[in-house]
Amino acid sequence: MAKYSPQELANTLKDGLLSFPVTSFDAQLQFDEENYRKHLAWQASFPVAGLFAAGGTGEGFSLTPAESERVVRAAVEEVGNVVPVLASAGGSTAQAIENAKAAEAAGAEGILLLPPYLTEADQGGLIDHVSAICNATSLGVIIYNRANAIYKDTTVAALADRHENLIGFKDGVGDLEHDARVYAKLGDRLFYLGGLPTAETFALPLLQLGMSTYSSAMYNFVPQFALDFYQDVRNQDRVAVNKKLNEFVIPYLDIRDRVKGYSVSIVKGGLDAIGRSAGGVRPPLQNLAPQDFADLKELIATVS
């Protein structure tokens, strides 16, 4: 049973830093629940506003539905009494409904609805897709604007009118005009979070467009730095933000951009670097090359 109503969840998430914990794997790349629980307990010991289990950084795309349910349930059992745990729903409409129902049964507080799998969709199809998931659960639902699920402002407004449990808009595209249109039309009806890769890079300008929070992948391995950065953004302290960008975030991006798919690999590399390994990444992702790992470890030492 969820502890938060959809609106209470939105109010909790909108004014704090959010993160997507990595999913721990063992040497055979099977879910390592014991290590995952340890990671979550550490993550929840800091004042983070919400944790999204089995999301993008958690390699949700590589998990079977049964694995995803197990990951979400473990997260709820371990830290759900400390911090809201949300789950992801994706794939076909039928699979997303299955994910949402399983997450609600596991005690999750909300759902991040990923783009439907592969196929292109127009606005009418997206409305039907989102509506099916919102109708299938009482949990708060956040739509993820990216890839083949680009929601026009009018579409978001129609969905918000139709579904009280639609609570959030996450942007993974970075089209400023589009974001401005959505916020101008919906205002405080939803909360807005940045979801571009390494969201810290865009956090300050997007704050001006109504995105009061974002999902921080680096929170996984440098949580205090990530929280301090978020506070600088909310204080609109441009000097402090630029200092942290130059000293850590941009060099981090330079390592991340060396290989496609490193957005997840570099997070697990960061955990290896601080002695809190969560195992390797599943194919088709690749673990950091030795030199990339050495460069990352040296960089992390400058902020630890």
Side-chain angles (χ1 to χ4, degrees):
M1 178 69 70
K3 300 180 181 68
Y4 298 80
S5 71
Q7 190 54 55
E8 288 170 342
L9 181 63
N11 291 340
T12 298
L13 300 179
K14 72 182 180 66
D15 287 324
L17 184 65
L18 310 176
S19 190
F20 286 58
V22 298
T23 300
S24 299
F25 296 134
D26 61 21
Q28 287 72 46
L29 295 181
Q30 297 304 301
F31 177 45
D32 184 345
E33 183 170 337
E34 180 181 0
N35 199 30
Y36 180 63
R37 285 175 176 264
K38 288 179 181 177
H39 178 60
L40 284 165
W42 181 57
Q43 296 280 276
S45 70
F46 295 85
V48 67
L51 295 174
F52 290 70
T57 304
E59 297 177 75
F61 46 82
S62 77
L63 301 175
T64 66
E67 286 177 322
S68 180
E69 181 178 2
R70 186 180 170 200
V71 168
V72 172
R73 188 174 295 277
V76 170
E77 290 176 355
E78 188 65 33
V79 300
N81 63 328
V82 178
V83 61
V85 172
L86 294 88
S88 295
S92 67
T93 302
Q95 182 180 322
I97 289 172
E98 181 181 342
N99 291 152
K101 288 182 174 180
E104 183 165 2
E109 298 290 346
I111 300 293
L112 175 66
L113 180 56
L114 304 176
Y117 176 69
L118 193 60
T119 185
E120 295 180 354
D122 211 332
Q123 299 302 296
L126 290 173
I127 287 175
D128 290 343
H129 178 69
V130 175
S131 291
I133 283 75
C134 287
N135 287 332
T137 180
S138 65
L139 300 181
V141 175
I142 301 163
I143 53 175
Y144 197 174
N145 185 74
R146 66 175 294 175
N148 57 336
I150 305 301
Y151 300 91
K152 291 183 178 179
D153 57 332
T154 51
T155 298
V156 181
L159 286 165
D161 286 343
R162 186 181 297 184
H163 302 289
E164 187 176 346
N165 63 330
L166 180 66
I167 62 170
F169 177 86
K170 180 178 181 180
D171 180 56
V173 177
D175 182 333
L176 300 187
E177 179 182 333
H178 181 251
D179 291 340
R181 284 174 177 266
V182 171
Y183 184 73
K185 183 169 285 292
L186 276 296
D188 292 337
R189 168 62 182 84
L190 303 178
F191 85 101
Y192 308 85
L193 58 151
L196 288 161
T198 310
E200 281 81 358
T201 320
F202 311 92
L204 189 55
L206 289 181
L207 180 66
Q208 302 298 320
L209 292 178
M211 292 192 180
S212 60
T213 186
Y214 53 87
S215 54
S216 173
M218 64 178 61
Y219 177 84
N220 274 275
F221 60 93
V222 283
Q224 192 57 58
F225 175 87
L227 288 164
D228 290 345
F229 191 102
Y230 177 71
Q231 194 57 58
D232 290 339
V233 169
R234 291 302 300 265
N235 291 340
Q236 300 191 58
D237 187 340
R238 186 171 299 277
V239 172
V241 167
N242 283 341
K243 183 174 187 293
K244 289 181 174 66
L245 285 173
N246 284 314
E247 292 180 353
F248 184 80
V249 178
I250 291 174
Y252 173 85
L253 298 179
D254 289 341
I255 299 171
R256 183 205 68 187
D257 291 344
R258 291 174 187 174
V259 173
K260 290 181 179 179
Y262 259 12
S263 293
V264 177
S265 309
I266 196 170
V267 178
K268 283 198 163 177
L271 284 163
D272 287 337
I274 65 169
R276 291 179 171 272
S277 179
V281 294
R282 282 178 170 177
L285 301 183
Q286 302 168 253
N287 294 316
L288 294 188
Q291 186 60 57
D292 299 333
F293 174 72
D295 292 344
L296 177 63
K297 187 172 184 178
E298 182 179 352
L299 179 62
I300 291 172
T302 66
V303 297
S304 300

